Amino acid sequence: MAEHLASIFGTEKDRVNCPFYFKIGACRHGDRCSRLHNRPTISPTLLLSNMYQRPDMITPGVDPNGQPLDPRKIQQHFEDFYEDIFEELSKFGHIECLNVCDNLADHMIGNVYVQFREEDEAAAALAALHGRFYSGRPIIADFSPVTDFREATCRQFEENSCNRGGYCNFMHVKLIGRELRRKLFGRYRGGGRYHISRSRSRSRSRSASPRHRRERDYDRRDREKDYRKGSRDRHDRDRDRGRERDGSGGRRRHGSPGRKSRSGSPPAREGSEERRARIEQWNREREEKQ
């Protein structure tokens, strides 16, 4: 019986504990939920509820005055907030991940999840945030039961196919730009990469989500592009030095050593008999000169 209860804990089959609170640290029913919300007394993860205020909070893509907003300005506003929060929270310890929800439902809008490497770092951050304000609003912080963000995020959103939009009950994590990822998380990983943290106790063998694979592919393509650009630059420099050695500043004459023919094919190799004949001719010429 105990094994059965342990196997269904935090799942839809658990009729006692709330699976949504267990997975994402928030529930649309709040304190009125018919199932239990087991609030942790200690955790490496903190939840800062409704902290991020989008500039298009009322209507997506439109400011409070009804004027359309440039998506680049919306993203810049978010990245400024993200960097500000990261720099402040990093004073208390090593940040494993910092996720901001892009959901619109009341219990998830603007939620900020920060996971530290150690529980005592999270406890120090929670104590320091108590009674503080951000942008004129009090910071509501508490320990969160979330330790595996891959279980908390919406898989369909990662595949750009979530039909519930911002009112989905799983996390729609708002992404930051590649340069900011390297700037913030590179200090921990030697120029490493931003990631959604895995649980320390499970899900280590699971494959990365499609969005994480896309980010990995983007980084690999960037490295390959830099390598190809560096190769072209080195080729251009070698070609210029070759022209300087010719003294003409232009192309080498047709048939010069070490160059291909105009048709682009390499020079034909001589056979062994031709090489021996050429060597004998050189020897005869040398003897005649002597």
Side-chain angles (χ1 to χ4, degrees):
M1 183 65 179
E3 293 181 358
H4 172 70
L5 293 176
S7 65
I8 66 173
F9 179 80
T11 67
E12 294 295 335
K13 296 181 180 180
D14 190 346
R15 314 309 293 179
V16 177
N17 303 287
C18 178
F20 280 100
Y21 182 77
F22 176 72
K23 289 181 179 180
I24 64 176
C27 172
R28 65 182 183 276
H29 300 296
D31 295 334
R32 301 189 306 274
C33 184
S34 60
R35 303 185 192 184
L36 295 179
H37 292 178
N38 294 302
R39 302 180 184 276
T41 57
I42 190 67
S43 172
T45 307
L46 297 181
L47 168 59
L48 313 180
S49 301
N50 310 124
M51 186 175 184
Y52 175 59
Q53 297 291 301
R54 297 164 46 130
D56 55 346
M57 184 70 68
I58 300 176
T59 305
V62 179
D63 66 12
N65 298 322
Q67 300 297 321
L69 288 171
D70 187 344
R72 292 174 296 181
K73 291 185 178 180
I74 297 176
Q75 182 66 19
Q76 185 60 51
H77 179 274
F78 168 68
E79 292 192 359
D80 290 342
F81 166 83
Y82 192 101
E83 184 174 8
D84 191 18
I85 296 301
F86 188 98
E87 294 293 350
E88 180 63 26
L89 294 176
S90 64
K91 298 176 182 178
F92 304 100
H94 182 121
I95 295 178
E96 288 286 340
C97 66
L98 178 63
N99 293 333
V100 181
C101 287
D102 201 27
N103 303 66
L104 298 176
D106 292 340
H107 66 293
M108 296 186 70
I109 186 169
N111 282 1
V112 177
Y113 295 81
V114 54
Q115 186 175 46
F116 291 90
R117 171 172 290 180
E118 303 295 339
E119 292 178 344
D120 57 352
E121 296 172 345
L126 179 63
L129 293 173
H130 180 71
R132 293 184 61 179
F133 288 73
Y134 185 85
S135 295
R137 301 172 63 251
I139 299 176
I140 303 174
D142 205 349
F143 289 119
S144 172
V146 180
T147 55
D148 185 357
F149 283 97
R150 297 202 300 176
E151 290 292 333
T153 54
C154 173
R155 305 294 175 82
Q156 287 75 27
F157 174 72
E158 294 177 345
E159 298 172 356
N160 298 319
S161 61
C162 180
N163 56 14
R164 301 198 64 182
Y167 292 93
C168 180
N169 284 317
F170 286 91
M171 291 184 191
H172 288 192
V173 177
K174 194 170 178 64
L175 299 179
I176 59 175
R178 185 178 295 108
E179 292 301 323
L180 184 58
R181 292 202 306 270
R182 292 172 178 171
K183 175 183 177 182
L184 298 179
F185 290 92
R187 68 187 68 180
Y188 300 134
R189 300 174 179 85
R193 31 187 302 127
Y194 166 83
H195 70 292
I196 295 179
S197 175
R198 299 177 181 177
S199 171
R200 293 174 184 154
S201 59
R202 57 182 179 168
S203 297
R204 291 190 178 274
S205 61
R206 297 178 56 180
S207 60
S209 65
R211 181 175 58 179
H212 302 150
R213 290 196 297 269
R214 288 197 300 271
E215 291 180 357
R216 183 178 58 205
D217 293 340
Y218 293 154
D219 291 341
R220 185 178 66 251
R221 284 197 292 268
D222 285 345
R223 291 194 297 269
E224 292 174 353
K225 186 185 298 181
D226 293 340
Y227 175 79
R228 289 195 297 268
K229 182 178 183 300
S231 298
R232 288 195 300 268
D233 292 342
R234 288 192 296 271
H235 174 73
D236 292 341
R237 288 195 298 270
D238 294 341
R239 182 184 59 192
D240 293 339
R241 284 197 293 267
R243 291 176 176 175
E244 292 175 359
R245 286 195 297 269
D246 289 344
S248 61
R251 295 183 178 179
R252 294 191 180 190
R253 293 184 301 274
H254 177 67
S256 58
R259 297 291 292 177
K260 294 183 179 181
S261 63
R262 291 182 183 271
S263 61
S265 59
R269 297 184 59 182
E270 295 179 341
S272 58
E273 295 181 359
E274 295 176 345
R275 286 198 298 272
R276 285 197 296 270
R278 186 181 296 275
I279 293 172
E280 292 177 0
Q281 180 181 356
W282 289 343
N283 291 334
R284 286 196 300 271
E285 291 177 353
R286 187 181 298 108
E287 292 175 357
E288 293 175 357
K289 290 180 180 180
Q290 293 177 352

